[in-house]
Amino acid sequence: PPGLPGDLDRFLRGAVALPEWTDHRRLADAVRFNEKRGNYLGIIYGFASGMMSTVIPREARAVYFSKGGSDMKKRISKTAKLGYDVGSRNAYAPDGEMAITAVKTRLVHAAVRRLLPQSPHWEHVREPGEIRPISQADIMVTWHSLPTTVMRNLRSWNVPIDPAESEGFLHSWQVTAHMLGVSDEYIPATWDTAESQARQVLDPVLAPTPEGLKLADMLLDLGFHL
């Protein structure tokens, strides 16, 4: 929109640009994967990834103490918007919405990093040495709760997966990580690398917190009323 500060305008124009390594053929493969396995994706995103977010301590605290974050109905709708856009047919095409959705998410993350540490609650709940929430490492932990968790479940259920479509699905989330501000060096290049990284950064941190328990109750309560 017009009237933005110059530095923000310049940032936004650069931030919506896809990485130079984007492979549109692989993104097309991701579309086929999403169309063929959409029902599975909906179940896993909702019941595995969604509930997992409440036992990722840093994520749960950042969500719970962010203004509006503990309104789980709105939180789910915003998260679902990103999940829907990354799986859409024209996600990163010129007429798609994913680049804009990713950059909007990135701006919200920036606001939380800036404002949450000013909250009187933050000093009492942050981990030792944790200065600001939603680091690149935090984003990658959440990233693994989504595509890596999807692939883990599909494999455990012995769901047939076309190799090209599997690689395309991974690529769509690689591009998404880049668009969310993660440095390319931290983005897994293969599913094997993703699995190895998840065992290092996701699996060991999963644990209940008072905030996570409250968020889980909200999710379950919301599910009962849908």
Side-chain angles (χ1 to χ4, degrees):
L4 292 175
D7 55 348
L8 178 58
D9 183 82
R10 288 189 294 274
F11 167 77
L12 291 176
R13 293 182 188 279
V16 295
L18 299 181
E20 61 182 14
W21 44 262
T22 301
D23 185 333
H24 289 279
R25 178 189 58 79
R26 294 173 71 189
L27 291 179
D29 291 334
V31 170
R32 287 191 292 274
F33 177 86
N34 289 317
E35 290 177 343
K36 290 166 64 174
R37 303 303 177 202
N39 289 337
Y40 289 107
L41 292 174
I43 292 170
I44 298 170
Y45 283 150
F47 293 99
S49 303
M51 292 305 296
M52 187 180 292
S53 70
T54 69
V55 289
I56 299 174
R58 288 168 65 103
E59 179 176 353
R61 287 193 292 267
V63 168
Y64 187 82
F65 288 112
S66 298
K67 182 174 176 60
S70 59
D71 184 333
M72 290 307 290
K73 189 170 184 178
K74 290 183 179 179
R75 162 76 174 176
I76 290 171
S77 68
K78 293 173 182 176
T79 303
K81 166 68 173 169
L82 188 146
Y84 174 82
D85 286 349
V86 74
S88 62
R89 171 169 287 277
N90 59 343
Y92 282 113
D95 61 339
E97 297 187 21
M98 188 54 205
I100 294 174
T101 296
V103 174
K104 284 182 177 179
T105 304
R106 189 172 176 180
L107 290 175
V108 171
H109 287 173
V112 173
R113 288 190 198 98
R114 170 70 176 171
L115 297 174
L116 188 55
Q118 300 176 29
S119 164
H121 303 288
W122 185 246
E123 185 64 28
H124 301 292
V125 301
R126 67 179 179 88
E127 295 177 355
E130 181 183 8
I131 300 174
R132 296 190 185 280
I134 319 183
S135 65
Q136 292 195 40
D138 292 331
I139 292 173
M140 286 310 300
V141 170
T142 299
W143 188 95
H144 285 296
S145 75
L146 293 157
T148 308
T149 297
V150 165
M151 197 53 57
R152 282 177 166 181
N153 279 278
L154 292 181
R155 287 172 173 170
S156 71
W157 297 342
N158 295 316
V159 176
I161 304 172
D162 180 276
E165 294 171 4
S166 172
E167 292 304 308
F169 179 65
L170 173 61
H171 189 63
S172 68
W173 278 99
Q174 290 168 331
V175 175
T176 298
H178 176 97
M179 300 298 286
L180 291 174
V182 176
S183 297
D184 291 350
E185 63 188 295
Y186 303 129
I187 302 173
T190 66
W191 281 121
D192 286 343
T193 305
E195 178 61 34
S196 176
Q197 192 181 82
R199 289 197 296 267
Q200 294 176 40
V201 304
L202 173 65
D203 300 345
V205 304
L206 297 178
T209 60
E211 298 80 15
L213 290 171
K214 293 173 184 176
L215 293 175
D217 284 342
M218 292 178 197
L219 277 176
L220 292 171
D221 184 64
L222 182 62
F224 285 130
H225 287 88
L226 289 178

